[in-house]
Amino acid sequence: MNNNPYSSHTEADRAAMLERVGIKSVDELLTAIPKDALRPKLGLPAGMSELEIQSHLESLASKNRTAGSGPFFLGGPVQRRYIPAAVPVLALRGEFLTAYTPYQPEVSQGTLQSIFEYQSLMCELLAMDVANSSMYEGGSAVAEAAFMAVRVTGRKRVVMASEVYFEFRRTVRTYARGPDLEIVEVATRDLASAAEGAACLIVQHPDAFGGLVDVRRIADAAHAAGALCIQVTEPHANALLEPPGALGVDIVVGEGQPLGIPMSFGGPYLGVLACRNALVRQMPGRVVGETHDARGMRGFVNTLQTREQHIRREKATSNICTNEAIAAITAAIYLALMGPEGLSAAARLGVAKAHALAHRLGALPGCSVSTDGEFFDRFALRVPRLAAGPEGSGYAMRNALLVDNVLVEATAAHYGDRDDLIIQCTEMTTDAEMDSLVAAIESIAASVRETVTAR
Amino acid sequence: MNNNPYSSHTEADRAAMLERVGIKSVDELLTAIPKDALRPKLGLPAGMSELEIQSHLESLASKNRTAGSGPFFLGGPVQRRYIPAAVPVLALRGEFLTAYTPYQPEVSQGTLQSIFEYQSLMCELLAMDVANSSMYEGGSAVAEAAFMAVRVTGRKRVVMASEVYFEFRRTVRTYARGPDLEIVEVATRDLASAAEGAACLIVQHPDAFGGLVDVRRIADAAHAAGALCIQVTEPHANALLEPPGALGVDIVVGEGQPLGIPMSFGGPYLGVLACRNALVRQMPGRVVGETHDARGMRGFVNTLQTREQHIRREKATSNICTNEAIAAITAAIYLALMGPEGLSAAARLGVAKAHALAHRLGALPGCSVSTDGEFFDRFALRVPRLAAGPEGSGYAMRNALLVDNVLVEATAAHYGDRDDLIIQCTEMTTDAEMDSLVAAIESIAASVRETVTAR
Amino acid sequence: MTLRTQMIPDSGVKTAVPALEPLLVEIHEEGRAGRHVRGGEEAQIPAAFARQMPLGLPELTEPQVVRHFTHLAQLNYSVDTGMYPLGSCTMKYNPKINDRVASLFADLHPKQPQSTVQGALTLLAELEVMLAKLTGMDAVTLQPAAGAQAEFTAILMFKAYHQKRGEGAKRHRVIVPDTAHGTNPASAAMCGFEVTTVKSDAHGNIDLASLKTALGDDVVGLMLTNPNTLGLFEERLREVCDAVHAVGGLVYGDGANMNALLGVARPGDLGFDCIHINVHKTFSTPHGAGGPGAGPLCVKEPLRPFLPKPWIVRDDQGRYHLDTARDDQPPAGLGDSIGRVRTFLGNFGVLVRAYTYMRTLGEEGLAEASNDAILAANYLLAQLRDSYDVAFDRPCMHEFVLSAARQKKLGVSALDIGKALIDEGFHPPTVYFPLVVPEALMIEPTETEPRETLDAFAAAMIRIAEKAKTDPASVKAAPKNAPLARLDEVHAARYPKLKWQRPT
Amino acid sequence: MTLRTQMIPDSGVKTAVPALEPLLVEIHEEGRAGRHVRGGEEAQIPAAFARQMPLGLPELTEPQVVRHFTHLAQLNYSVDTGMYPLGSCTMKYNPKINDRVASLFADLHPKQPQSTVQGALTLLAELEVMLAKLTGMDAVTLQPAAGAQAEFTAILMFKAYHQKRGEGAKRHRVIVPDTAHGTNPASAAMCGFEVTTVKSDAHGNIDLASLKTALGDDVVGLMLTNPNTLGLFEERLREVCDAVHAVGGLVYGDGANMNALLGVARPGDLGFDCIHINVHKTFSTPHGAGGPGAGPLCVKEPLRPFLPKPWIVRDDQGRYHLDTARDDQPPAGLGDSIGRVRTFLGNFGVLVRAYTYMRTLGEEGLAEASNDAILAANYLLAQLRDSYDVAFDRPCMHEFVLSAARQKKLGVSALDIGKALIDEGFHPPTVYFPLVVPEALMIEPTETEPRETLDAFAAAMIRIAEKAKTDPASVKAAPKNAPLARLDEVHAARYPKLKWQRPT
Ligand SMILES: Cc1ncc(COP(=O)(O)O)c(C=O)c1O
Ligand SMILES: Cc1ncc(COP(=O)(O)O)c(C=O)c1O
C-alpha cells in the first residue's frame, strides 16, 4: 500500500532496503527519539487523489473574485499587467523550475546565464552599475537597502518619505527593530532638509500617489550630508522617466512583480536591488559574474560570495539564502520579449489611461485629483463625504464601490489622516472598466447629495 | 515598420538581402504572376497586438458554456475525463510540439521512442499485435479500417451495426463514395447473419448506448464467411472488458481522445487503429519500429514505409501524411501516468456512477433504461412524452433540460426512429450533477403530467 | 556552432541493449503507482464480459514518467531549438499566444447544443470568411484534418459534381504532374480514379503539350500545386487551367505552398476551382511531431453544394447554427453534400491557432510574411547556387530545390549532406523530393529565421560542399555530433519490431 | 549511464568569446521587435522628468527569445531530469498538480477587499492549522519568504518577548552550535545580537557541557537544527532545551530538516518554543533555480502575541478576516506584534503548493514520506560506509554526511568527487557543509528516488572512491562530460564582471 503517491518505493523495495540496512523496521533507527514523542497522531485529514484535490482547489478558487472579472483599479507595488504567453512557457520549464541554487556551475549554466542577463537588463533599465540576483520582495528590499546604508555610513538614523508605500514603510519599521535603528518619516517635500545625521534618505518616485518627485534634489541633499540616497522605483516607470542612475541615486529598490510575474495574492514576487559599484561589497544577496571554464569557454558563476551567510555567517551582509531566482529569470524573459518599445508602450498606456480617467473623475461634483504635482500612471482622488468620521470619504467610497463590484484602494489611515482613493491604470485597464468607475462614483455621490438636500 | 511581429527581418536586413539577390524589390521575383492578379487587396482586418488578440479571444470564449460549468452528461466517442497535470506539462514541451514528422531519426528520437511506446501501450491495452502511430480521429479510422478489409478480402460490401456511433457511420458512408463500396447497416443482433459476401462486419462494443456485445460470436461468423471483424472500441473500456485481441477481432479502431486529450469542440483527436500481424502490410498510416544505430545503440525509425503515399503514391494503403502524432504522444504519457490501476479506476468510476444513476432515473415515472442487455458507463433512457411528433420524448426532454442548463444527448433520428436520451458518466461526473439531472427530469416530467391531467 | 556534451542523468535502470533512454516497460516495477484517480470499487462487470487477460501496462510513478519524457523531449530537434528548413513543410515559428488562447476552448464538447457554443461557432464562421477572402474563393469547409484529407474531400466533391451532371460514369482519370506530392495521386486513387502523370518542362512547369495530350472528356480534373514543389510559380498557369476546363475537368489547387502567396496572389484569380490550405504550415500552428494539422478547403460557387455537411450558417439575429442541426437525414437529405469526412466539425484546436495568427498579422502582416519568405529563399539560393546544382534556374518563391548531382559524383548523396548538416547544428532540408530532381535538396527557410541564421546555414552548406570534394568520407560518416549515429532502417523494415516485449 | 552529444542549433550569432549560448545583447539587432503591447502614444511625460538616457534594452523577436531560453534551460541539471542529492535541501520530486492549482489563484491582487478573497484566506487559515498540528505548536505565521526570514522573524520575536518581560537590555547573546547553517548566526546578527558558537560532541550532538558553560541570563536563546545538519537526531534534546529554558532563554527550531520528522515526532513535543518549515524542501514546492521558498513559523502560546501582523481570524459565520484589517494603527496599535516582515501575506503561490501537497499525502502519506526518506538515507549509507569515512557512525535520519578525508590524502577533495559525479550522471551532493566535518559530502536522497537510482548513485560513488586510488588525476579533471569544464571562480571574484557590455 502506498499512501504517498510520489514515493517510488514498493513494499518489495522497502523490504530489500531494510534488509540491506540490517533492520526489521525503521523504528530501529529512531532510538534517539523520546519514546513518548515517537509517532504521534497528528489529526491531519486523509490523503486525496489528484482528481479530488484538483476539484477541492477549484471550489476554493471559486470563492475568490479574480482581478480580471470586473472593474479593477488596485495597484501600487503590485500591478495587473499583460504577461506575454511565451513568458510562462519558458520560465516554467522543468529544468529552470526544479533546479536549485546553482552551486555547481558546470550543470547550471541555464540558471546562471539567465540571472546574469537579468542583472544586466535591470542595470540597463535603472542605469545602475550592479543589480543583485533578487531579494524576497519590495518591502524587505527597502529594509535591506537601509541596512546597507547603515553599514556604509555607520549611522543609525533612517529617514523615509511618508509617500513611500505604507507596506514598505511598515516592513522597514519591523526590520529596524533588529539593529535598533531610528526611523524618521517626513513628507517627501521635507526630505532634503532632514538629511543631517541620516544614514540615508528613502524617496519613492513615482510615489504612492503616482506623484513625480525631483529625486536629484534629494540625492544632492543626502550626499551633502554624507548620507546615501535610496530610491524606491517601479520597473515600467523607468522606461519613460529619467532613471535613478542619472539622478544621483546610490541604491535603487522596488517590487519587480510587474515584470511578467503573476499577482498571486501577495507572492512570490521579486525584490529588486541595484547599487553603485562602490557599494557592491556591502550589497546583500547573490550575484552572478562572468568567467571562463578550463577550456576557455565563457561561463557564469555565483560570485563575491564572501558577503554571504554561508561563508561569513554572523558577519554576512544579509542572512538571505533561498531568494526569488525564478522570478528574476521570469523578469529577464519578460524584458527580452517586450523590448524597449514594448515596455515603453505598456508604461505609456498606463499613463495615458490614468490621465484620461483623472480628467473625467476630476470633473465630477465634489471630486478632485489630490496627488500634488504631476502624476504618472496612478493618482489620488478626493471624493465627496459619504459619512461622518475620519473615513467618511475615501474609505466609505471604496466600500460603496465594492458593492458595485468595482475595486479601488482607499488611503484610509495608511497615509496620515488622508482619506482619498488611489486609482491605478495599466495597459490592462479597459474603457469599459473606466466607464463603470466614473458612472459608479457619479451615482454614489449623487445619491448622497440627494439625501443631504432631502433634509 | 514590421507588420508581422514574428518576422526577424528589419528594414536593414531586407535591404541587404535584396542587394545580395541583386534586385530592388521582391516584385522583380514575381514576373510569373499575371499582373492583374498580383497583390490584390484582400479585405482582411488589420493586425493586432498580443494583448488585443488575447482579450478578443477571451471575449469569444466567454460566449461558450464550458462542460465543467454545469451538469454535464454528453459523451460517446468524446469524453470529459480527468487529465493529470503532468500530461500537458510534458506533451506540450516545445521540443515535441514544434517538431514535425521524424524524417531524420538521429535528431528525432524523442518523438520516435514516444510513439513506439504509444504503439506498445495500445497493443497491451487492446491485446493486438500492431498499432499504427495514429489516424485523424475515430470516424475516419473506422473508414480506413473498412478500406483495409476491402483490400484484404477483395470484397466491396461493408456491413456495419446501427449501434455504431452515428457520426462514425456517417463518415464511413462518405469515405465509401470513393471506392463505391456498398454499405449495409443492420442491428448488432443481426450482424452475424449478414456476414455472407461481406468484406467486414463492423461492431461497436460497448455500443453507442453503452451496451455490451458478444463480439466473439460476431468475429466467428465473420471468419466463417471469409470476412474480417472490425471492432469499434473505447480506450477505458478495455481496462475492464476482455480486449478485442482475445475476442477474435482482426482490426480495432476507435477514438483515442479520452486518453488525456482535451475535448476542444471536436479536435484535434486521436484515431486509434490496431490489427493483427498478418494485416500489417495493408495497414494505413505511419508506424515506428525499433532498430540500432551505427554504434550499436538502440534507436527508432519510421518503418514499413513502402505502404505509404510518399513512396507508393497511388498504390499506397492510404493518403494520410500529417497525422495526430502529438495526440499519440499525449496518450502514451497519459497511460504511463495512470498505469493499469489508475486507468481501471477511471473506468470503474464511470461504470459505477452510470449504474447508480440508471437505477435512480429508471425509477422515475415514465422513465426506463432502454439499452438492451448489460451496459457499461453509458446508457439510453426512455423518457415520458412531452410533446407530439417523432421527437416528443427524448429530444423534447433534451431541450427542456437545456433550459435548466443540464446537458444530455438525445438519440433524435441518429439511431433509427428511436427517441431516447443517452447519458454518459465518467470519473468527472459529480453527485451534484447527478442530483440535478434526476431532479430536473422528475420535475419536467411532473409538470407535463399535470398539464395532461389538467385537461 | 557549439557542441554540447552532457551525461544523461542516471536513473539506474538497466536497458536490454545500450540505449539513450530506457523504455517505460524497462522502468516498470510491480506495485508502483501514482494516485491520479482512485475508487469505483463498487463497479460490477458481468463475468461474461470482464477482462480475463492481464492488463500489462507498465507500473510507474509520476517522478519516473516526468523524467522519462523530459529526457526524450531533449533528444528532439524542433523549431523551438533551431532552424528547420524542411522544404514543403513551412517550419516557421509557432507563436505561444496561439497555444494559450486555444486552451480557452479546451473544455467544450463537440455535441454541445449550439446555443452553448456560440463563441466557438462565431470563430469558425469568421475563419471561413477570412480564408475565402485570402484565397479568392466563395465557400469553405473546415472539416479536413490535414492537406491529404482535403484532397480526398475535394476529389470526392469533383466526383459528385460530375455525377450530378451525368458525367460520373465517363470521367475516371485524375491528372497529376510528376512533381506532385505523394498524397495527390493517393487521394485520387482513394476515390477510385486512375492517375495519369504528366511530366514537367524544362522550366519546371507542368508540360503544357503533354497535359493537352493527356486531357480528354474522361478526365475528372487536374491536381496542381502552385507554387509547385520546385518552389516555382507555374508560368502558364491560366492556360493550364483553361485547358482542363475546356474538356470539362476541374482544377484542384494543392495549397501546401500558400506561404508564398499571402497577399501576393489569390488562387481564385488564377483559375483554380478550389484550393486547400495546410494551416499547420502557412498559419504557424505547431506541427506536433507529425501532427495535428488542419486542411480547410476553399471552393468556387459551383462546388459549394457538394461541401461536407454540416455547414455553419448565420441567422438574422447574428446567431450561428449548423444547417443540418442534427445532420440526421438519410444521405439524400444531405442534398448534394458528400456528407461529413470526419466525426465532428474539424481540428478546432488547430483552427483557433490559425484564426489567432491571421488576426494577429492582419492583411499587411500576412502579405509581409510571404514577401519575407520569398526574399529569404532567394537570398539563400543566391548564396548556394555556386556550390550546388540548381534544379531549374529562375527566381524561386518561398522555397527552392537544389540537386546534389555534382556531389553525388564524388560519392556524396543528398542524404549524406543532410546528415552533415546535423553536425553543423541544423535540421536537414527535405531530401529526394520532388522525385523529378536527382538528389533533391528542398530548402524552405520561412520568414521567421533571422538573417544571421540564414547566413550560417548557407556557410554550413558551402562547407559541406567543400568537404564533399576534400574529404567525402567525413561527410558520409555524419552525423557524429547527434544523440545517435545513422540508424539501420533496412534492419527495421526487414525485421519489424513494432512494440516492446511485455514485462515478465 | 549514457553520454549525450548534441550540436547546439546554430543561430549564426557571433559571440565575443567562445560560448555555449550568446547573450541577449549579442543577439540584439536594432529595429527588431515583437508586438505584445502597443499604443499609448498620447501619453505625456513632463520634460523635467522624461527619460533622456537611451533605454538600452536589447531588441529581439519572440522566435529568438524562445530559442535562447530553451537552449539555456537544457543546460541545467534539475529534479525533473535526475537525482539531485543536495544535502539539507530536500530535492524531492515536485508534483505538477501543485503548479496547476497554484495558477487558479494567479489573478488575485493582495490588496483586494477581504470579501473578494475568501477562498484564498480559507486556504491560508487551513494551512496554518495543519502546520500547527504537524509541528505540535499553537500558532503560525505564513509571512516569511524563506527559512532565513523565518529565523530573523523568530529572533525578532524573542527580542520582543524578552523586552516585554523587562529583560531586553540584559539579553544579547544567541547560541548556535558549530554545525548550524550560516543563516542562523546571520539572522541573529541582523537582530543586533552577539553569536556564541558551541561545539559538537563525539556523537554529533551539541556538546551539553559546553552549552551549559555558555548559558547565562544574558542569553536570548539557542538556535538548534534537529535532526541537525549531520543528519543526526539530537540524543539529549530535552536536556538541551531544559538547560536553555532554565536560564530564561528560548529555543528556536530550525526546521529545514523537517522531512525526517513528518508523523515521526513533533518539535512541539521535544522542547522547542518555535520552529520554521522550509516548504520548498519538506513540502515539495519547486526550488525555482534558487527560489522562491516559504518559511512558515510555528510557535508556542507564549510567543503568539509577538507574531507578525496581520493575523487571519475566523468570525462566527465562518468568514475570514485580517485582524488589523487595514493594519493602519501606529506601531503601538499592533499590540505586541513585531509588525509585518514583508509587503503582503506571504509567498502565496508557494503556500498553495504546500497545502496541496499536504492534502494529497494526508496524515498517512506524510508519515510514509519521512519513513521512506529515512530508510533511503540509511540504505545509501550502508552501501557507502566502507568506501568513505562516516563523520559520526550511527543511524542517520533523512540524510547523512560522509567525509572525503581518506580520499583527500590521495589528493582528491570533496569538490573533486562532486565533479566526478557529474560525469557519472548525477548532481553532486552538498560539499564542505557542515563545517565541522572535513571534506564533507552531505547526501540527501529523499523518498522519491527509486531504489535502482539509489543503487546507481552508490555504485558511482564507489567507482569514484576506487578511481581516487587508481587514477586520482582523472577525478581531479572532472567533469569531462558536462556542458562546461570547471569554471574559474577566482577570476570571477577578482575581476567582477556582473553585467554585459551595452550594445553599441
Ligand atoms: C505539396 C504538399 N501537398 C500535400 C501535402 C499533404 O498535406 P498534409 O501532410 O497536411 O496531409 C503536403 C505535406 O507535406 C505537401 O507538401
Ligand atoms: C539547515 C538550514 N537552515 C536554514 C536554511 C535557510 O533556509 P532558506 O534557504 O529557505 O532561507 C537552510 C537552507 O538551505 C538550511 O539548510
Side-chain angles (χ1 to χ4, degrees), chain B residues 100 321-322, chain C residues 88 146-148 151 181 183 254 256 278 280-281:
Chain B
Y100 198 19
C321 179
T322 295
Chain C
S88 203
E151 298 165 19
H181 190 265
T183 51
D254 178 327
N278 298 75
H280 45 299
K281 299 172 181 180

Side-chain angles (χ1 to χ4, degrees), chain B residues 59-64, chain C residues 105 116-124 348:
Chain B
S59 71
L60 278 175
S62 69
K63 300 192 178 69
N64 300 319
Chain C
F105 300 83
T116 68
V117 290
Q118 284 298 306
L121 292 175
T122 305
L123 185 149
L124 293 175
F348 186 82

Side-chain angles (χ1 to χ4, degrees), chain D residues 73-147:
Chain D
Q74 291 187 345
L75 297 176
N76 267 10
Y77 195 108
S78 66
V79 172
D80 273 7
T81 55
M83 178 174 172
Y84 207 128
L86 202 62
S88 204
C89 300
T90 315
M91 304 300 286
K92 62 171 70 175
Y93 173 69
N94 308 140
K96 302 304 175 192
I97 183 66
N98 299 355
D99 301 331
R100 181 160 77 186
V101 294
S103 68
L104 297 172
F105 300 83
D107 192 32
L108 291 184
H109 192 287
K111 289 186 184 177
Q112 281 183 224
Q114 297 166 26
S115 61
T116 67
V117 290
Q118 283 298 305
L121 293 174
T122 305
L123 185 150
L124 293 175
E126 288 183 6
L127 180 58
E128 287 182 356
V129 172
M130 288 197 291
L131 291 174
K133 287 180 172 173
L134 183 82
T135 56
M137 296 287 170
D138 303 313
V140 178
T141 178
L142 299 174
Q143 274 191 38

Side-chain angles (χ1 to χ4, degrees), chain A residues 100 321-322, chain D residues 88 146-148 151 181 183 225 229 254 256 276 278 280-281:
Chain A
Y100 197 21
C321 178
T322 295
Chain D
S88 204
E151 297 167 20
H181 189 265
T183 51
T225 309
T229 62
D254 178 327
H276 88 252
N278 299 75
H280 45 297
K281 299 173 181 179

Side-chain angles (χ1 to χ4, degrees), chain B residues 100 103 136 319-323, chain C residues 87-89 145-149 151 180-181 183-184 225 229 254-257 276 278 280-281 293-295 433:
Chain B
Y100 198 19
Y103 295 116
Y136 298 133
N319 66 338
I320 191 168
C321 179
T322 295
N323 56 17
Chain C
S88 203
C89 299
Q149 202 184 25
E151 298 165 19
H181 190 265
T183 51
N184 291 185
T225 309
T229 62
D254 178 327
N257 292 341
H276 87 253
N278 298 75
H280 45 299
K281 299 172 181 180
F433 178 71

